[in-house]
């Protein structure tokens, strides 16, 4: 079992591909450049089983249709953002891309609560971690000791809270309630920048002092 970080799209958002020894895979946040992502999957003989979205901001969804149609796989998204894929105003592309817009068809599976999630052959503990966006979720994969957290927690930082639906106090509570209790050596697969660990952020993240 392993995963690969692949920066994609207009903001070089980190897409992650988690795969097992049977060459089955799930894709997190395909932010753009679907041709590059699909070519990499083919070259590595991987068979995607699902697309898991940590949230539906434009820089995380640009290649959703490219991979969904290529592999005929379901897309998972929290129900709070159920119409963001189809609405450039809500996903932010109409405001940040200088007239260009990003749209996709609705998700196939809507996440409704914290739970255990089975996506194809892969099992996750699912946490609703709003604050950056109302439907932000984090996927904890125990086998690889990794949490795929999107734009919730970064190396020495946290997600923006000045976008529609964002809230600073909510974000800090999400991190404190769901991410900080994870084992300290858990890898944090962030939506942007470097991969970090829960332990590193406990000790060095200036936004989290008092929560370690």
């Amino acid at each position: 079992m392993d995963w690969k970080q692949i920066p994609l799209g207009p903001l070089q958002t980190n897409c992650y591909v988690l795969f097992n020894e049977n060459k089955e895979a799930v894709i997190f946040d395909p932010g753009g450049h679907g041709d590059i992502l699909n070519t990499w999957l083919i070259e590595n003989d991987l068979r995607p089983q699902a697309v898991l979205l940590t949230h539906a901001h434009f820089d995380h969804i640009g290649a959703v249709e490219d991979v969904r149609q290529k592999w005929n796989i379901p897309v998972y998204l929290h129900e709070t953002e159920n119409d963001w894929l189809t609405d450039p105003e809500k996903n932010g592309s109409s405001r940040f891309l200088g007239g260009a817009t990003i749209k996709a068809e609705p998700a196939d599976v809507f996440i409704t609560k914290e739970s255990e999630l089975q996506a194809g052959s892969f099992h996750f503990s699912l946490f609703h971690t709003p604050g950056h966006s109302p439907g932000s979720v984090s996927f904890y994969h125990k086998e690889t000791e990794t949490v795929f957290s999107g734009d919730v927690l970064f190396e020495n930082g946290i997600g923006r809270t000045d976008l529609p639906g964002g809230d600073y106090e909510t974000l800090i509570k999400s991190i404190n309630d769901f991410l900080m209790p994870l084992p300290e050596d858990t890898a944090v697969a962030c939506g942007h920048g470097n991969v970090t660990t829960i332990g590193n952020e406990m000790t060095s993240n200036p936004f989290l002092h008092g929560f370690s």
Side-chain angles (χ1 to χ4, degrees):
M1 192 81 71
D2 202 358
W3 51 263
K4 173 74 171 178
Q5 180 192 70
I6 310 173
L8 297 171
L11 301 185
Q12 289 291 280
T13 301
N14 290 330
C15 170
Y16 296 93
V17 181
L18 174 67
F19 54 93
N20 62 23
E21 61 278 1
N22 296 322
K23 297 292 188 176
E24 298 162 328
V26 290
I27 302 165
F28 297 89
D29 293 354
H33 299 125
D35 55 340
I36 293 174
L37 178 55
N38 283 332
T39 297
W40 185 86
L41 292 165
I42 293 167
E43 289 176 347
N44 287 275
D45 195 29
L46 295 176
R47 300 186 302 278
Q49 298 185 326
V51 174
L52 304 181
L53 297 178
T54 62
H55 64 296
H57 280 149
F58 72 94
D59 57 315
H60 291 251
I61 66 171
V64 162
E65 287 307 324
D66 290 330
V67 294
R68 173 159 47 185
Q69 293 178 20
K70 172 68 176 178
W71 305 100
N72 191 28
I73 54 178
V75 173
Y76 291 66
L77 176 67
H78 195 274
E79 65 173 355
T80 305
E81 298 176 8
N82 65 78
D83 56 351
W84 286 31
L85 291 177
T86 62
D87 189 336
E89 181 65 27
K90 290 185 176 179
N91 68 46
S93 59
S94 64
R95 298 192 301 276
F96 291 101
L97 293 183
T101 57
I102 291 176
K103 295 172 63 175
E105 294 300 311
D108 302 287
V109 180
F110 289 112
I111 296 163
T112 60
K113 60 183 178 180
E114 287 87 18
S115 63
E116 300 299 304
L117 176 69
Q118 192 75 29
S121 303
F122 300 87
H123 184 82
F124 303 92
S125 295
L126 175 68
F127 308 127
H128 183 205
T129 48
H132 172 66
S133 76
S136 287
V137 293
S138 298
F139 301 88
Y140 175 59
H141 188 248
K142 187 174 182 179
E143 290 179 77
T144 56
E145 298 180 300
T146 305
V147 60
F148 299 91
S149 62
D151 290 356
V152 172
L153 179 64
F154 299 127
E155 182 182 41
N156 295 322
I158 60 174
R160 292 178 61 169
T161 58
D162 60 337
L163 301 173
D167 182 78
Y168 178 83
E169 296 299 332
T170 299
L171 180 58
I172 293 297
K173 187 176 189 304
S174 292
I175 295 170
N176 182 41
D177 288 352
F178 294 109
L179 301 189
M180 289 301 101
L182 294 173
E184 291 188 23
D185 58 356
T186 300
V188 181
C190 312
H192 302 273
N194 298 324
V195 173
T196 184
T197 67
I198 293 296
N200 286 344
E201 299 317 300
M202 281 182 175
T203 58
S204 65
N205 193 309
F207 295 93
L208 302 181
H209 288 171
F211 291 103
S212 60

